[in-house]
């Protein structure tokens, strides 16, 4: 993995390139940013640059033995610290204190082949206080060859003593244009789909790739949009019951269905409040969205989201799924067609 293969994140890449080129590398970094933004990819590129046998301008060559092993995840001096690395069995993904202690023992053994030893620690913000205190001992007296790269979504749960000993680099969300370009070049997405998933990704390339890889995504999105159109168009309750039945059938992938529903409702609300349909996340079905918005008021579109948020919380609390989605659709339907709705709630 080379820095030049990574989309976006120019400032972060520039800073690490300069560090690798000058040799002024800190003992510990903290990469902070949303899931899927590229923290691990950048950490691997940085590790490659540090163990590469023929680096140039801070960039790895990509072809030497060190680079090849690094890319294959088998370089003995580049370690990704997870509980399983040291045989620590945990039911959760929380990074265990035993894991950090095992890492601590290993870190003082000199590098095998490279000049440096790099420890990449994903989910560093899941470390317990005990684990962090164990890590602190390394951060206080790191071996000269050691580079620690902590990855986290939110550094708020890290101890101030840990924070004061790491160089923090913030990873901003990736722009929609960079994400779309990545989807096209790396995953072979056509431009229309690349643009859709880039807009839906919230600045996370990993998320965009995951959505692109979901073969049911577009059909589910189109189904939901069509059910919404029927719900706001047909005064009779058949559309309401059909929509409810459809949602009951999606229980096994409810997270994805809720996610798509939320994106549609946000688009509907924004268009109802004057935003151009061409700028919506689901701009590729702008006509359908515009039809839906033509049937409801801006006020109703806002209340649709409020109703959705309320029932999504119920679903998160494991309240009966079928009942939850049925009541949600019924409230949307009543809100659209029943003039006395306000007096009922
Ligand atoms: Zn190399």
């Amino acid at each position: 993995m080379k820095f030049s293969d990574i989309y976006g994140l120019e400032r972060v890449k520039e800073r690490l390139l300069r560090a690798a080129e000058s040799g002024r590398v800190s003992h510990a970094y903290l990469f902070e940013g949303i899931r899927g933004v590229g923290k691990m990819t950048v950490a691997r590129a940085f590790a490659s640059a540090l163990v590469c046998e023929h680096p140039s301008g801070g960039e790895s060559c990509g072809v030497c033995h060190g680079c090849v092993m690094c890319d294959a995840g088998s370089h003995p001096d580049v370690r990704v610290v997870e509980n399983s690395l040291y045989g620590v069995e945990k039911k959760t993904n929380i990074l265990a204190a035993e894991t950090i202690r095992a890492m601590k023992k290993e870190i003082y053994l000199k590098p095998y082949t490279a000049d440096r030893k790099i420890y990449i620690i994903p989910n560093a913000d899941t470390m317990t206080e005990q684990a962090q205190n164990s890590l602190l001992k390394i951060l206080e007296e790191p071996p000269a060859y050691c580079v620690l790269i902590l990855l986290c979504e939110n550094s708020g749960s890290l101890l101030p003593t840990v924070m004061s000993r790491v160089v923090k680099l913030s990873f901003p969300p990736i722009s929609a244009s960079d994400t779309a370009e990545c989807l096209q070049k790396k995953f072979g997405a056509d431009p229309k789909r690349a643009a859709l998933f880039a807009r839906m990704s919230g600045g996370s390339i990993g998320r965009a790739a995951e959505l692109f890889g979901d073969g049911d995504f577009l059909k589910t999105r189109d189904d939901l949009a069509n059910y919404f159109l029927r719900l706001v168009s047909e005064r009779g309750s058949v559309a309401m019951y059909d929509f409810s039945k459809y949602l009951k059938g999606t229980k096994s992938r409810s997270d994805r269905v809720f996610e798509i529903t939320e994106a549609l409702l946000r688009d509907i609300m924004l268009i109802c409040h004057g935003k151009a349909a061409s700028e919506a996340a689901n701009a590729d079905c702008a006509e359908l969205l515009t039809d839906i918005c033509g049937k409801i008021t801006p006020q109703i579109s806002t209340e649709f989201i409020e109703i959705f948020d309320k029932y999504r919380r119920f679903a998160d609390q494991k309240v009966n799924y079928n009942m939850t989605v049925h009541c949600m659709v019924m409230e949307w339907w009543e809100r659209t067609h029943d003039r006395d709705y306000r007096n009922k709630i």
Side-chain angles (χ1 to χ4, degrees), residues 65-85:
H65 191 51
C67 284
V68 171
M69 280 199 292
C70 204
D71 282 350
S74 58
H75 197 296
D77 298 318
V78 179
R79 308 281 273 164
V80 177
V81 179
E82 285 161 344
N83 293 333
S84 58
L85 182 68

Side-chain angles (χ1 to χ4, degrees), residues 24-29 107 116-117 119 138-150 165-167:
R24 283 195 292 275
V25 177
S26 174
H27 286 303
Y29 292 87
I107 213 166
R116 293 182 191 273
K117 217 168 170 184
Y119 283 82
I138 305 170
L139 294 173
E140 282 166 347
E141 292 174 42
Y145 49 77
C146 156
V147 179
L148 293 173
I149 308 173
L150 283 64
R165 286 175 174 82
V166 297
V167 174

